[in-house]
Amino acid sequence: MKPTNILFVLFLSTMAFMGCRQTERETVKKPVTQNQIHYAKGLAIYKCNGFSIVKINNPWPKANKTYTYILKEKGGKVPDSLKQNPIISVPLQTIVVTSTTHIPSLELLGVENSLVGFPNLNYISSEKVRARIEAGKVRDLGNNQNLNTEVILDLQPSLIVGFGIDNNNPALENLQKNGLKIIFNGDWNEQTPLGKAEWIKFFGVLYGLENKANQLFTQIENEYHRTLTLAKKAATEPTVLAGAIYENQWYLPQGNSWSSIFIKDAAGRYLWSSSQGTGSLSLPFETVLEKAKEADFWIGPAQFTSLKEMTIDNPHYNQFAAFKNKKVYSFSNKKGKTGGLIFYELAPNRPDLVLKDLLKIMHPELLPNYELYFFEQLR
């Protein structure tokens, strides 16, 4: 970690500690806890006497400020030094979330019944939440960049968990001006598997279910590390290609991305692992063919659902050995009732299952009795 980053983390920790200590002088005394987050880079949670301090510093790429929220418990007293921050009463009674990645956390914590609104309900795959949608208990809010503010004002949720690609969402600004509470969630901007999954603790503190959230995450963390240990027994390191062509360019993950980390952890060699960045590469077809023509596996070929569909789109795909050998695996066949991809909703919350899938694909002898959860071999 760079010295400037270390100083910044120490500053945040000190400020949170001072806020908690001041409350201890004003109310019944309880020791401050250290930051409860260990993997997520954009989230910090400090538990104090009667309230929690939540700091979110990376809700979208290149965010230039830290957002601080105070979650006040019933009867809790917030010190004057923290009252300039948004204060939200917890546990929440109702909630609006804006990304499908938020849905599994609600369901795992058993609070999915508090969800009252979501933008574009067809994206949701969770069977429990879909049952509530069909019963008319969750309202459609339009789309994320153009939320139906009239419906949300009618719902009056305890909290809106916002999701954005930048600091420009007039609908959320309007709702905030009308007195509604909003927190930005940056789970999607985390780049490590366990970093994304740890955001369940964010929802845990919103509902007063910190212990349950910690237990759930620990189970996922332990299972991920068990699979990681198993992967070290692999006798080979197969080569991996990813992505597909879109508008004459081949898009595939960069070397420091979430997808690349999974392949490495599953004892595979992603052919672009040395590239820098956490987003996507855009390359000519010829460049990809030259490097990956003999790749052992092709994992995540965009949203294709069959080999035939791939060749119809571009007959040149059949020049790759992985295509010829039917070693192409996709998550696009597994969808919810209304067409939402289960992978997009659940995978960030369950990296243990993603890692097991990839290990099963590349080293089936290490998980002989495991059945793929997200991925499927294309035929």
Side-chain angles (χ1 to χ4, degrees):
M1 183 180 288
K2 295 180 180 179
T4 53
N5 292 337
I6 294 172
L7 290 173
F8 179 67
V9 171
L10 289 173
F11 172 75
L12 291 181
S13 300
T14 302
M15 293 305 293
F17 181 84
M18 288 173 64
C20 292
R21 294 296 296 182
Q22 181 170 346
T23 298
E24 290 173 10
R25 292 194 296 269
E26 295 175 1
T27 62
V28 178
K29 298 5 175 219
K30 264 191 180 180
V32 60
T33 64
Q34 298 299 315
N35 180 19
Q36 305 295 293
I37 304 302
H38 307 292
Y39 297 93
K41 301 301 183 184
L43 175 66
I45 299 174
Y46 301 90
K47 189 71 178 172
C48 304
N49 179 36
F51 69 94
S52 297
I53 301 172
V54 174
K55 291 182 175 289
I56 297 172
N57 61 37
N58 203 26
W60 47 77
K62 299 180 181 179
N64 57 10
K65 65 174 287 187
T66 296
Y67 294 82
T68 301
Y69 306 93
I70 309 303
L71 309 185
K72 178 181 171 295
E73 300 164 18
K74 186 176 181 180
K77 187 176 180 181
V78 178
D80 292 340
S81 61
L82 294 175
K83 286 183 178 177
Q84 76 276 15
N85 301 299
I87 298 175
I88 299 158
S89 296
V90 294
L92 300 180
Q93 299 302 308
T94 57
I95 194 170
V96 162
V97 299
T98 51
S99 168
T100 55
T101 60
H102 305 158
I103 302 293
S105 291
L106 299 180
E107 188 171 333
L108 286 167
L109 291 168
V111 294
E112 69 277 359
N113 288 349
S114 65
L115 180 68
V116 294
F118 185 86
N120 199 330
L121 297 177
N122 286 339
Y123 288 142
I124 296 177
S125 298
S126 161
E127 292 182 4
K128 288 183 178 180
V129 177
R130 291 232 59 86
R132 286 182 50 77
I133 291 169
E134 291 167 6
K137 296 178 179 179
V138 182
R139 298 181 66 179
D140 197 308
L141 305 178
N143 65 70
N144 191 45
Q145 293 302 311
N146 189 26
L147 294 171
N148 190 324
T149 56
E150 190 173 317
V151 172
I152 297 175
L153 287 170
D154 183 54
L155 289 170
Q156 287 292 305
S158 305
L159 181 67
I160 301 167
V161 177
F163 157 77
I165 57 174
D166 53 34
N167 189 22
N168 182 27
N169 194 318
L172 289 178
E173 291 175 9
N174 185 34
L175 290 165
Q176 202 161 25
K177 288 177 183 176
N178 278 276
L180 293 184
K181 303 291 186 179
I182 296 170
I183 285 186
F184 288 109
N185 179 297
D187 61 353
W188 72 281
N189 208 25
E190 298 287 342
Q191 294 304 324
T192 63
L194 291 175
K196 286 183 185 288
E198 196 171 21
W199 278 78
I200 191 172
K201 296 179 181 179
F202 165 83
F203 287 97
V205 74
L206 291 176
Y207 286 89
L209 296 172
E210 295 94 327
N211 289 340
K212 186 172 184 179
N214 289 340
Q215 290 170 4
L216 287 165
F217 177 74
T218 297
Q219 292 170 7
I220 292 168
E221 177 190 23
N222 289 343
E223 199 60 32
Y224 193 94
H225 283 301
R226 275 194 287 270
T227 307
L228 194 60
T229 299
L230 189 61
K232 292 176 181 177
K233 298 180 180 180
T236 61
E237 188 183 46
T239 52
V240 179
L241 162 68
I245 297 172
Y246 177 73
E247 294 185 349
N248 298 318
Q249 288 290 297
W250 195 300
Y251 289 90
L252 64 167
Q254 290 180 317
N256 299 321
S257 66
W258 188 63
S259 302
S260 179
I261 291 171
F262 270 122
I263 294 169
K264 178 178 179 291
D265 285 355
R269 182 164 67 88
Y270 177 50
L271 291 172
W272 280 268
S273 62
S274 62
S275 62
Q276 297 300 306
T278 57
S280 296
L281 290 169
S282 173
L283 301 173
F285 171 82
E286 294 75 16
T287 300
V288 177
L289 180 64
E290 181 181 0
K291 189 166 188 174
K293 185 175 182 179
E294 300 302 324
D296 297 306
F297 292 94
W298 187 345
I299 298 174
Q303 294 190 23
F304 292 114
T305 58
S306 70
L307 297 179
K308 182 179 180 181
E309 186 182 352
M310 292 178 69
T311 52
I312 290 172
D313 185 78
N314 192 318
H316 296 297
Y317 285 142
N318 63 17
Q319 296 182 51
F320 292 88
F323 186 95
K324 294 175 183 177
N325 298 329
K326 296 182 171 57
K327 296 293 186 181
V328 183
Y329 290 82
S330 173
F331 52 74
S332 296
N333 282 320
K334 298 187 178 180
K335 300 178 180 178
K337 191 174 182 179
T338 52
L341 290 177
I342 294 172
F343 183 88
Y344 288 154
E345 179 171 311
L346 184 58
N349 293 264
R350 293 301 306 272
D352 54 324
L353 296 177
V354 178
L355 185 60
K356 284 183 180 181
D357 272 15
L358 295 178
L359 188 61
K360 175 69 174 184
I361 289 168
M362 293 187 284
H363 303 283
E365 72 283 357
L366 296 178
L367 287 171
N369 300 317
Y370 177 78
E371 293 185 8
L372 296 179
Y373 190 92
F374 293 112
F375 287 87
E376 184 175 291
Q377 187 174 12
L378 296 191
R379 305 292 182 182

